[in-house]
Amino acid sequence: SYIKKVQTSVDSLSAKRFCENEIFNLLCSSLATEAERLGVRMTIKATLPKHLPIPDPELCTVLSNGIENSLNAVFELPEPLRWVDLYCEVKLNKLLLEIRNPYIGEVILRNNLPVSTNPSEEHGYGTLSIRSIVERHNGLCSFEPNDGIFTLRIVIPLHKASVH
């Protein structure tokens, strides 16, 4: 009985497998749990290899900041709009990442980065971190509000020689 109880606890803590990359799996499991706690539907479609030439802390920073921004944007929206989609794969030796979520109202961009409209929030460093990491790896990122859907797109070449 005790062993079954412990096994159930361990199983509930185990990361879901979305792809071959364990860091991605652990982080997405944690973020998906947070989304569920907030009542947000999160869809994750990923096909990443076991190893990426991007350092794990940088991958975690990009992914966690992108998803946390999306969760913050949707958790107070009405129910049909409480969703976040994450798509990530390696294609043609490039890391492709896209995070989408609905929004209501106006999204203000300054220097092509979204600006928080809530003066009590100390936000803005997450998007700067994303852009900085992506640019350090000779990649591109865009933050695009369009017709009620906000999309973060990232493309990073995976040539080890391209990393500064």
Side-chain angles (χ1 to χ4, degrees):
S1 171
Y2 175 75
I3 292 173
K4 285 183 181 181
K5 185 176 181 182
V6 169
Q7 182 63 43
T8 301
S9 295
V10 169
D11 289 344
S12 70
L13 296 175
S14 297
K16 294 178 184 173
R17 290 194 56 82
F18 302 99
C19 63
E20 301 275 325
N21 189 286
E22 291 305 321
I23 293 297
F24 182 91
N25 290 335
L26 289 169
L27 188 55
C28 283
S29 290
S30 174
L31 293 167
T33 299
E34 178 65 9
E36 186 177 329
R37 187 185 70 75
L38 295 171
V40 175
R41 292 180 313 283
M42 188 166 163
T43 303
I44 301 171
K45 294 180 182 175
T47 53
L48 293 180
K50 190 171 192 165
H51 300 287
L52 291 168
I54 298 169
D56 290 342
E58 291 183 353
L59 178 64
C60 289
T61 297
V62 168
L63 191 59
S64 63
N65 280 315
I67 295 294
E68 287 172 3
N69 287 345
S70 289
L71 292 176
N72 287 334
V74 302
F75 87 96
E76 290 185 350
L77 294 180
E79 169 43 40
L81 299 177
R82 296 176 70 148
W83 59 265
V84 172
D85 287 347
L86 167 63
Y87 163 80
C88 194
E89 76 170 328
V90 171
K91 192 172 191 176
L92 301 174
N93 208 28
K94 293 176 180 64
L95 174 64
L96 308 175
L97 184 134
E98 181 178 273
I99 301 171
R100 300 175 66 236
N101 61 269
Y103 68 91
I104 293 177
E106 182 182 6
V107 174
I108 299 169
L109 297 177
R110 187 173 301 131
N111 296 322
N112 296 317
L113 295 175
V115 176
S116 175
T117 56
N118 186 342
S120 67
E121 294 179 352
E122 295 182 23
H123 289 286
Y125 297 112
T127 55
L128 283 171
S129 295
I130 291 169
R131 183 166 68 183
S132 174
I133 290 168
V134 170
E135 288 177 352
R136 188 174 319 127
H137 292 277
N138 297 317
L140 300 170
C141 67
S142 65
F143 301 86
E144 304 168 10
N146 190 18
D147 292 330
I149 302 295
F150 186 88
T151 305
L152 165 60
R153 287 191 179 95
I154 295 172
V155 178
I156 299 175
L158 294 180
H159 305 285
K160 290 185 182 184
S162 70
V163 179
H164 297 277

